[in-house]
Amino acid sequence: MGEIPRRGVLRGTAGLALAFAGRDAFQDADGNAGPSRLADAVVSSASALESTFADLSAGETVVITGENDPYRTTRWLDIDVDGVTVIGPDVPALIKPENGANVGGFRIGHNDHCENVTIRGVGFDGNPENQNRSAKRCHGIVVQDAENVTLSGNYLTRTHPYHEHNTGGSGISVEGEAKNVRILGNRIHDIGDRGIQVGGAQVVVSGNIVTDGLDRSISCDVWRGYDHQQARNVVVVGNVLGDNIEGSLTGIGGNDLQAGGTSSSRTTSDSATTNPSATSDSTAGHETSESTAT
């Protein structure tokens, strides 16, 4: 793959976070509230939320209202069919697993391949103090065998396990065969492990605010036990990062480029702070850094 033109990337991604933030998802063209006019399912209870995701149809739009939040879930909310859009009301703790549920938030492409999925305006609190210690990697949102996925304007916090590296809960995890994923304008705060970790291909991470994690704010690799996956063809631009306990602001682990391919990544942080006692790939303050691995 040829070099990604930095100026073009900056111009092209400057408005992406705003474009996909979905702040007016509950308004029509006249500014009137009306989620039912665009939704196949309008969810206002935990039982309805779980039953809706247990029986999703391709092309379905699900609107989750804030009427009875937080919704105390007992299972992962899986998306394994094409064309699903999930719209939330921008409530930070909209979804919160029940005590002892030992689950995270959403899984996209976990049981079957899917394409063209969007999640926006959804809040997730992992409730880590009330989950079993044996439960691992209860991420806020996981993208696995999926293509053309957009995650925008979501709020993710306190994932389980809390402050546990590699097996802890990250805010967003892009893994396995994930491809063409856009992570735009999310707020990820006080997280169990990494804010955003990317192991897929062709990913844009832009306009996010990621603070108060354990390891890196944005990591271009994913570890599962001894299985290590590095991201390929990733753009990281215009994010605000900082205040991790151990890790750097951005980075990629491993000594060798995997799978014999070419990996390009570019990072621009509008503002960044870091724990001065931690090893960092970046410096504090306003920064622009670029890296290309071949």
Side-chain angles (χ1 to χ4, degrees):
M1 177 178 177
E3 183 179 2
I4 301 174
R6 177 174 175 271
R7 292 186 182 275
V9 167
L10 290 172
R11 286 195 301 268
T13 59
L16 282 177
L18 292 176
F20 287 99
R23 300 297 175 185
D24 58 351
F26 287 86
Q27 295 181 343
D28 60 20
D30 299 321
N32 300 312
S36 60
R37 63 182 293 275
L38 54 81
D40 299 291
V42 178
V43 172
S44 57
S45 70
S47 59
L49 180 65
E50 292 189 338
S51 63
T52 296
F53 278 86
D55 191 29
L56 280 174
S57 298
E60 193 164 359
T61 295
V62 179
V63 170
I64 308 172
T65 74
E67 184 176 343
N68 294 301
D69 68 276
Y71 298 114
R72 306 302 302 274
T73 52
T74 60
R75 65 185 71 175
W76 285 88
L77 303 175
D78 287 334
I79 301 173
D80 298 302
V81 294
D82 296 344
V84 171
T85 298
V86 180
I87 303 172
D90 295 324
V91 174
L94 181 69
I95 297 170
K96 185 176 183 179
E98 188 60 80
N99 295 352
N102 305 318
V103 297
F106 296 87
R107 295 187 301 199
I108 304 171
H110 178 73
N111 301 296
D112 202 356
H113 177 82
C114 61
E115 300 181 5
N116 304 318
V117 173
T118 296
I119 299 177
R120 70 185 189 214
V122 172
F124 176 79
D125 181 328
N127 189 23
E129 63 272 18
N130 294 304
Q131 308 305 320
N132 295 342
R133 295 185 63 181
S134 59
K136 305 298 182 184
R137 301 184 181 91
C138 297
H139 308 310
I141 303 175
V142 186
V143 184
Q144 295 173 319
D145 186 7
E147 296 184 45
N148 304 325
V149 175
T150 300
L151 309 174
S152 66
N154 302 294
Y155 185 95
L156 309 167
T157 189
R158 297 188 340 116
T159 45
H160 177 77
Y162 186 72
H163 288 180
E164 182 175 302
H165 186 37
N166 285 338
T167 54
S170 293
I172 295 173
S173 185
V174 179
E175 311 172 357
E177 300 303 313
K179 185 177 180 181
N180 294 332
V181 180
R182 294 162 296 281
I183 304 172
L184 309 172
N186 301 280
R187 178 71 171 100
I188 301 173
H189 171 70
D190 190 21
I191 215 74
D193 190 3
R194 292 169 165 176
I196 299 170
Q197 58 177 8
V198 178
Q202 296 174 321
V203 182
V204 173
V205 185
S206 177
N208 304 280
I209 302 175
V210 187
T211 57
D212 296 290
L214 176 67
D215 194 48
R216 294 187 184 112
S217 298
I218 300 174
S219 186
C220 294
D221 65 330
V222 175
W223 288 89
R224 292 188 68 89
Y226 293 104
D227 182 17
H228 180 222
Q229 182 186 17
Q230 293 175 332
R232 304 177 303 284
N233 303 327
V234 180
V235 174
V236 180
V237 59
N239 301 280
V240 178
L241 317 172
D243 294 330
N244 302 318
I245 294 175
E246 297 178 359
S248 58
L249 301 177
T250 63
I252 183 168
N255 296 322
D256 300 310
L257 183 68
Q258 297 176 344
T262 299
S263 176
S264 298
S265 64
R266 297 181 178 273
T267 302
T268 301
S269 292
D270 296 326
S271 177
T273 60
T274 188
N275 178 357
S277 65
T279 301
S280 175
D281 298 335
S282 308
T283 57
H286 296 273
E287 64 153 30
T288 301
S289 62
E290 301 182 7
S291 62
T292 303
T294 57

